[in-house]
Amino acid sequence: MEDAVKIFNIMESKDEVSWNAMVTGYSQSGNFEAAFKLFNNMRKENIPLDAYTVSCILMACAHLAALRMGKQIHAYVIRHHRYDASVYFVANCLIDMHSKCGDVDTARNVFDSMRTKNDISWTSMMSGYGMHGRGREAVEIFDKMQKAGFIPDDISFLVLLYACSHSGMIDQGLDYFDSMSRDYGLAASAEHYACVIDLLARSGRLDKAWKTVEEMPMEPTAVIWVALLSACRVHSNVELAEYALSKLIEMKAENDGSYTLISNIYASARRWKDVARVRQLMKNSGIKKRPGCSWVQSKKGTASFFVGDRLHPLSPEIYALLERLIDRIKSMGYVPETNFALHDVDDEEKNNLLVEHSEKLALAYGLLTTSPGCPIRITKNLRVCGDCHNAFVYISKIVDHEIIVRDSSRFHRFKNGSCSCGGYW
């Protein structure tokens, strides 16, 4: 890309092909911010967009959860294209973008408007429902796909199992797993087994999950050990968590997320010496913990927050609002889950640390800058904190907003004192 940029910058005359090639290159190389910047320059220069560039910029919107920009591109598509066979890949990207930006119902509208669908269309729609915890709708799409004459493949089943896992549909998910080989002659891969193990472990059936690991026809992959490790965090199984981490270290597949999970498990058990040992292991391995970061969209633009962030101009108002909110929800029964403050300090200090979590700061900013009744959309680079999740459930009872949180795993929609995840996250 560096060489491409140099050539692009020295061109005396740039046509739509050269502009589109650059936006596509940035998107496909993962530099979505640069793709956005160049795309905006294209719009200022009135450069026509081709279908491939539209698809790539939609990918960037999906990655950055930039729904406002995504809606503008959607409007452009409606004005300049139809959902026919020549641009169905654009419609597929619209389905993916809306789903990943928290608007799965609009994704379904796009899906229903398509006169021609391919296997990616069906899979994208199932995946969208899955990440929003709407497993029953994902199953509905799966059934309609077969009625339309499409034969499910291994990817279809992978997405379906994911949807079942994130919706608490344990028995149905296991039935689909068995159906792969029984009804369709498909051999389950390690990824399919990882979904089943996650399905079982997430629901607390750790014994059956472990038995599935032992009975696998292939060696367990890193994804499987991470699934077990994550479930151990929820169900406080220290022994199995230690074994899973040892396997990841043995495979040289451990990362900051794995160490953070085991550190969280030790902290919950108040094993502070083990927490310190894990941090030393990370230091010795050269692995640095990614800082939690949350960003939120409002009518004033997008704002990003790190834990304990006080650099934003509205920080005094943000912390004052959080203090009022926490006091109010405590009177409603909220009890801070101090085991998510991963430091050996007293409870008062832990409460202060919990207030500083990035997703809480993002929520307070959203409440200060978003019009009443409008949804607040928050994206976090890591898994949402358990205490923040609990606090958001209470806060959703007293604010006039739906709170939509996209973390590294799935979506959480908080409204009227409940979350769409139903506890399966």
Side-chain angles (χ1 to χ4, degrees):
M1 280 305 299
E2 290 180 5
D3 292 334
V5 171
K6 291 176 183 176
I7 295 170
F8 181 77
N9 287 337
I10 64 174
M11 291 175 67
E12 293 183 3
S13 178
K14 303 177 179 70
D15 61 10
E16 62 186 82
V17 176
S18 50
W19 281 92
N20 285 317
M22 286 299 298
V23 172
T24 301
Y26 276 131
S27 289
Q28 292 182 344
S29 62
N31 193 343
F32 299 113
E33 289 85 356
F36 266 163
K37 185 177 179 179
L38 196 63
F39 173 74
N40 285 327
N41 290 337
M42 284 183 70
R43 296 170 72 193
K44 292 176 184 177
E45 298 289 334
N46 294 316
I47 306 296
L49 303 176
D50 64 22
Y52 295 98
T53 304
V54 168
S55 298
C56 286
I57 205 67
L58 286 170
M59 287 169 49
C61 292
H63 182 81
L64 299 173
L67 181 60
R68 184 171 299 178
M69 174 71 82
K71 285 182 174 180
Q72 293 176 21
I73 305 302
H74 192 170
Y76 178 90
V77 169
I78 292 172
R79 289 196 304 270
H80 296 279
H81 297 281
R82 295 180 303 168
Y83 298 140
D84 57 20
S86 64
V87 290
Y88 63 73
F89 56 88
V90 173
N92 291 341
C93 285
L94 281 169
I95 293 170
D96 183 63
M97 182 277 295
H98 281 294
S99 296
K100 290 180 178 175
C101 289
D103 192 357
V104 72
D105 292 326
T106 299
R108 178 61 184 268
N109 290 339
V110 174
F111 177 82
D112 290 339
S113 300
M114 295 175 68
R115 289 183 291 179
T116 303
K117 300 179 179 68
N118 64 357
D119 51 350
I120 297 175
S121 312
W122 295 97
T123 303
S124 296
M125 195 64 248
M126 280 195 291
S127 177
Y129 277 133
M131 70 178 72
H132 285 267
R134 293 167 63 170
R136 303 206 179 281
E137 285 99 327
V139 168
E140 173 205 337
I141 295 295
F142 182 75
D143 292 338
K144 286 187 175 181
M145 178 182 72
Q146 295 178 85
K147 291 177 183 176
F150 288 85
I151 299 175
D153 59 11
D154 55 339
I155 301 298
S156 305
F157 276 101
L158 193 61
V159 171
L160 190 63
L161 289 170
Y162 169 89
C164 290
S165 176
H166 284 264
S167 306
M169 299 166 60
I170 299 95
D171 294 332
Q172 199 160 359
L174 294 175
D175 287 341
Y176 281 123
F177 180 71
D178 293 337
S179 175
M180 282 183 62
S181 56
R182 182 185 66 234
D183 301 326
Y184 298 92
L186 296 171
S189 67
E191 288 77 13
H192 293 97
Y193 274 98
C195 273
V196 170
I197 290 163
D198 183 62
L199 176 79
L200 292 166
R202 192 185 296 274
S203 64
R205 303 184 189 182
L206 290 174
D207 290 342
K208 191 167 183 179
W210 176 246
K211 185 178 180 182
T212 304
V213 172
E214 293 181 315
E215 294 175 350
M216 284 175 56
M218 71 283 290
E219 285 296 314
T221 61
V223 177
I224 287 168
W225 295 120
V226 169
L228 278 175
L229 190 57
S230 181
C232 290
R233 169 70 181 92
V234 178
H235 300 287
S236 303
N237 190 316
V238 178
E239 184 178 357
L240 183 55
E242 290 176 328
Y243 185 76
L245 180 64
S246 71
K247 287 295 183 181
L248 287 167
I249 294 173
E250 187 180 301
M251 299 167 69
K252 296 183 178 180
E254 80 277 27
N255 55 31
D256 67 317
S258 303
Y259 283 113
T260 299
L261 281 170
I262 192 72
S263 182
N264 290 351
I265 293 168
Y266 284 139
S268 295
R270 297 186 176 274
R271 291 170 54 169
W272 302 113
K273 289 183 179 179
D274 287 318
V275 171
R277 179 173 57 82
V278 170
R279 288 176 180 160
Q280 188 61 45
L281 276 173
M282 292 179 70
K283 185 177 181 180
N284 295 341
S285 303
I287 296 173
K288 294 183 179 180
K289 182 182 182 299
R290 287 170 294 167
C293 178
S294 299
W295 57 99
V296 59
Q297 299 179 46
S298 74
K299 59 186 178 183
K300 292 189 176 182
T302 301
S304 300
F305 297 91
F306 290 92
V307 61
D309 204 329
R310 294 181 183 270
L311 297 177
H312 196 278
L314 290 179
S315 284
E317 292 91 336
I318 287 171
Y319 280 93
L321 175 57
L322 276 177
E323 185 177 349
R324 293 196 301 271
L325 285 172
I326 297 300
D327 286 343
R328 188 170 173 187
I329 63 176
K330 279 182 178 178
S331 68
M332 298 166 60
Y334 162 72
V335 178
E337 298 183 39
T338 54
N339 57 308
F340 287 100
L342 306 178
H343 298 276
D344 188 12
V345 294
D346 60 38
D347 285 345
E348 182 178 354
E349 181 63 22
K350 285 184 178 181
N351 288 342
N352 293 335
L353 291 171
L354 290 174
V355 170
E356 296 179 346
H357 282 193
S358 66
E359 54 266 60
K360 287 194 180 82
L361 300 177
L363 174 60
Y365 175 83
L367 290 170
L368 288 169
T369 58
T370 303
S371 300
C374 293
I376 296 174
R377 302 178 186 276
I378 300 169
T379 305
K380 185 177 181 182
N381 64 332
L382 305 175
R383 194 169 181 265
V384 67
C385 156
D387 176 74
C388 291
H389 187 280
N390 186 31
F392 282 17
V393 168
Y394 279 93
I395 292 171
S396 70
K397 293 181 179 181
I398 59 176
V399 297
D400 188 24
H401 301 272
E402 181 180 19
I403 305 166
I404 303 169
V405 180
R406 170 181 141 184
D407 69 5
S408 59
S409 176
R410 56 163 298 147
F411 275 88
H412 302 267
R413 305 179 77 99
F414 302 89
K415 191 173 183 179
N416 299 327
S418 64
C419 178
S420 60
C421 73
Y424 286 94
W425 60 287

